[in-house]
Amino acid sequence: MPRTGWGKPMGRMAVAVAAVAALVSMPAGAESILDKLTLDSVHTGSIRIGRATVPLPEGEWIVTALNEAKNTSNSVLATVTLASFAGEKLSGYITIDLNADMSASGWTPHQFCHRTDVYFIHKDADYGNDQACWGVNHYVFDKTSTYKPTQGKNIQATLAGRGQTMPSTMIYALYRLSDRSNYLTYAVHVNPALSGFADETGKWADSSWHKDLIGASPDKVAYLEAFKAKAAPLYAAMKDGGLYTGRADPAAAAKPAPGGASQTTAAPSVEQRLTTLKDLHDRQVITPAEYEAKRKEILGGL
């Protein structure tokens, strides 16, 4: 049974840095992840997703869902969900979002890098298409989800099939690394209930895990600090190794097209932005509160 030690309050994170120091570029052209990955396959150390080899936290991780979709620029985007169990209990789950083919038009910046309401955040870059950040926070889950991957089931449905319910609150580390050509959004969630903490229900802002309230619970602060220490090497392994080799040259991307016409990228429409936002919410990359706040901001610009 796949297991992970990330849900424990203490312990040493084992990242196979030698094997996964970089996300390695494959030959040009999008490669379907559905041809290379299979549901229920178990991975340790790293996972190959299309053009990339992505490092994993310690433990065994099982693929529970695969998704592919095209954005408005016709780029193929991939999402892989993995889970790990301690006995029959969910100890952790991972979502990995990345582009299957390179782009010269860039990506919408991820809001996590801008946040000031999370327990911890570290930023090395956050301007234009370039983002390099990671942080630690809590997430309050719905018991069901409308997310329908191309293959497999969303994490709530996966647990229901095992006779379990989704933990109400989980702790996660989110990593965002992007440039004009590539992006990676990577979230590792762990279940604090396996370390003896009560599974809290209620609103995100009222949770005792909230950064403004957690000071009253030294044991929870210690748990988050231990989790942060385990999560940091994963960010370092990805960032220091470089996300992809053979990145597109930003200067080349800015050169005029043949015939003297300049290459420009149209700003996404309101409908496109709302669709992207809804997708992020359905895949639980952002919280319901973040979804509503950003939705109001987009609609307020009409």
Side-chain angles (χ1 to χ4, degrees):
M1 189 73 68
R3 299 173 65 90
T4 176
W6 267 49
K8 299 176 183 178
M10 297 299 290
R12 178 175 171 271
M13 176 183 175
V15 179
V17 177
V20 296
L23 300 178
V24 183
S25 178
M26 291 290 286
E31 188 176 76
S32 174
I33 65 169
L34 306 181
D35 296 333
K36 303 294 183 180
L37 287 173
T38 57
L39 294 176
D40 299 324
S41 58
V42 178
H43 302 263
T44 59
S46 65
I47 182 171
R48 186 79 170 187
I49 306 175
R51 299 182 300 113
T53 299
V54 183
L56 294 173
E58 65 182 49
E60 296 181 337
W61 297 87
I62 183 170
V63 174
T64 60
L66 301 167
N67 193 67
E68 279 190 341
K70 289 187 177 182
N71 66 6
T72 54
S73 299
N74 214 36
S75 295
V76 178
L77 311 182
T79 302
V80 178
T81 305
L82 305 100
S84 194
F85 298 87
E88 291 300 317
K89 296 292 186 180
L90 179 73
S91 58
Y93 93 96
I94 291 172
T95 58
I96 303 172
D97 293 275
L98 48 72
N99 55 304
D101 50 356
M102 296 179 70
S103 170
S105 59
W107 315 98
T108 302
H110 198 285
Q111 294 301 310
F112 188 83
C113 293
H114 309 327
R115 292 184 62 174
T116 59
D117 60 348
V118 298
Y119 176 77
F120 164 80
I121 191 161
H122 171 86
K123 290 191 286 187
D124 288 309
D126 187 16
Y127 45 89
N129 291 292
D130 295 310
Q131 287 190 303
C133 78
W134 78 281
V136 172
N137 203 29
H138 69 289
Y139 194 99
V140 176
F141 286 90
D142 294 327
K143 293 302 180 183
T144 60
S145 172
T146 58
Y147 172 51
K148 295 181 179 180
T150 308
Q151 293 184 7
K153 300 177 181 179
N154 62 57
I155 190 64
Q156 287 94 330
T158 296
L159 292 178
R162 300 171 66 99
Q164 300 180 40
T165 57
M166 187 71 189
S168 296
T169 300
M170 297 186 79
I171 305 303
Y172 71 98
L174 188 142
Y175 310 90
R176 171 69 176 191
L177 294 149
S178 68
D179 61 12
R180 191 173 183 84
S181 303
N182 301 297
Y183 80 90
L184 174 79
T185 305
Y186 185 169
V188 181
H189 301 75
V190 297
N191 184 3
L194 294 187
S195 295
F197 295 100
D199 185 26
E200 294 186 8
T201 58
K203 296 182 179 179
W204 177 85
D206 296 333
S207 171
S208 63
W209 292 98
H210 191 282
K211 81 176 192 72
D212 293 337
L213 303 174
I214 196 170
S217 305
D219 54 342
K220 291 182 178 179
V221 172
Y223 179 89
L224 291 188
E225 287 298 312
F227 176 70
K228 184 173 73 172
K230 295 177 184 178
L234 193 60
Y235 175 74
M238 292 186 289
K239 181 177 182 296
D240 293 346
L243 275 179
Y244 294 85
T245 60
R247 290 184 176 184
D249 180 1
K255 291 179 181 178
S262 60
Q263 297 182 9
T264 59
T265 303
S269 67
V270 170
E271 182 180 1
Q272 291 168 343
R273 293 173 67 192
L274 289 172
T275 298
T276 299
L277 185 67
K278 181 65 164 57
D279 179 62
L280 290 173
H281 175 264
D282 289 345
R283 289 187 287 114
Q284 299 158 353
V285 176
I286 59 175
T287 66
E290 291 172 324
Y291 170 74
E292 288 299 331
K294 191 63 180 178
R295 180 174 175 275
K296 289 179 181 179
E297 177 183 322
I298 294 171
L299 294 175
L302 293 176

